[in-house]
Every structure is written in structure tokens, then in C-alpha cells.
Amino acid sequence: MLSIRNFSVIILLLAFSAASQAATPRTNYLLYCSGCHLVNGEGNHPNVPTLHGELGRMMTVPAMRDYLVQVPGAAQAPIDDEELTAVINWVLEQWNSDTLPENFNALTLDEVSAARKEILADPLRYRIENWKDYPH
Ligand code: HEC
């Protein structure tokens, strides 16, 4: 039978392994994105754009795939490239499934690592030049 002491060691080990596991994309979203884009991803019009709907269509345009990574809120989040890749793909699947192209290629780690080296100084301008204005 387990002694109380062994039992507490098991609990400690379980707690430790849970803590050392990478956070899920949803948790990282809540920690690092929801402060501005809100828990439901709808943003805060007109200052913070919604993450619903339009991002799916951007996935066919290489410059816009990069854009999703290079906006300051994403590029500068204190998570590694792998976690950022997972968060953005999660946002795409969660809130943009209706607009994702057929045979949609999720963002890859290589793509995100390369794009993230450049942070957009003027995201709105880049968006207008490579896509279109924010919906008003
Ligand atoms: C400090 C506030 C803030 C945080 C935190 C933040 N964002 Fe943003 N995000 C913005 C703003 C503001 C914009 C509009 C572009 C700009 O001015 O940076 C934006 C734009 C975006 C866009 C482009 C949307 C579009 O339609 O043009 C994406 C994608 C995005 N953010 C994803 C994220 C992700 C993913 C995270 C978390 C890892 C995050 N953001 C964290 C404020 C934030």
C-alpha cells in the first residue's frame, strides 16, 4: 500500500510534470493575446482588430501569412517560435474556419521563425499595401 509520504511524492511529480509541459495554444492565447484581442477574439474596435473571419482568406497570400506573425503583438509575445506557430494556427482554426482555403496549409515552424525576424514598424500600412484597409 502507498504510504502518505510516497503519495505526496507522486502528487509532487505529477504537479511538476504538468507545469513543465508546454502550455496549450489556448492558454498562450489567453495569457498573451486576449488582453487586447479579448477572450472571444473579437478585439476592441476600432483600435484592436478582430481575429474572426478575414484571417483565413489571407492564408493564400504569402505576404499576409508573414503579416500574421509580424504584427508586434504576435512577434513580440514572450513565447518561442513553436508556441507562436501553434497560437496562430489555433486562432485560424478557432475563428476563421469558414474562410480558410481548401487544402489549407497551416503555418509551419520554419515559416514563422523566418517571418518573426522582422517586426512590422507600420502594420496598418503594410496591411493596406498587401491586402486592404481594415473593415470599418
Ligand atoms: C498590446 C495589445 C496586443 C496584444 C497583446 C496582441 N495584439 Fe494582435 N494586434 C494588436 C493591434 C493594435 C493590432 C493592429 C495592428 C497593429 O497596430 O499592431 C493587432 C493585429 C493583429 C493581427 C492582424 C489582424 C488583422 O486583421 O490585421 C493578428 C493576426 C494578431 N494581432 C494576432 C495576435 C496574437 C496571436 C497575439 C498574441 C500572441 C496578439 N495579437 C497580441 C494588439 C495586440
Side-chain angles (χ1 to χ4, degrees), residues 58-59 61-69 126-127 130-131:
M58 295 178 185
M59 294 305 283
V61 180
M64 294 311 286
R65 293 173 71 96
D66 288 352
Y67 168 80
L68 302 182
V69 180
Y126 181 96
R127 194 188 199 276
N130 293 282
W131 189 245

Side-chain angles (χ1 to χ4, degrees), residues 37-127:
H37 291 282
L38 303 192
V39 170
N40 65 13
E42 284 174 3
N44 196 353
H45 187 79
N47 300 318
V48 181
T50 176
L51 300 178
H52 286 247
E54 195 165 10
L55 307 185
R57 281 187 277 272
M58 295 178 185
M59 294 305 283
T60 52
V61 180
M64 294 311 286
R65 293 173 71 96
D66 288 352
Y67 168 80
L68 302 182
V69 180
Q70 291 171 334
V71 283
Q76 293 177 333
I79 48 181
D80 65 25
D81 292 353
E82 205 166 341
E83 290 166 317
L84 182 60
T85 307
V87 173
I88 300 174
N89 284 328
W90 181 84
V91 165
L92 288 165
E93 281 154 21
Q94 192 75 14
W95 294 316
N96 298 271
S97 54
D98 291 353
T99 55
L100 283 173
E102 263 179 63
N103 309 321
F104 144 72
N105 291 321
L107 289 172
T108 64
L109 176 58
D110 283 351
E111 200 176 7
V112 169
S113 303
R116 199 180 189 183
K117 295 200 172 89
E118 200 181 313
I119 296 171
L120 299 176
D122 191 345
L124 182 54
R125 188 182 165 155
Y126 181 96
R127 194 188 199 276

Side-chain angles (χ1 to χ4, degrees), residues 1-19:
M1 225 176 76
L2 279 175
S3 70
I4 295 286
R5 199 191 154 136
N6 285 341
F7 189 65
S8 19
V9 168
I10 289 172
I11 296 289
L12 269 178
L13 280 174
L14 283 175
F16 180 75
S17 66

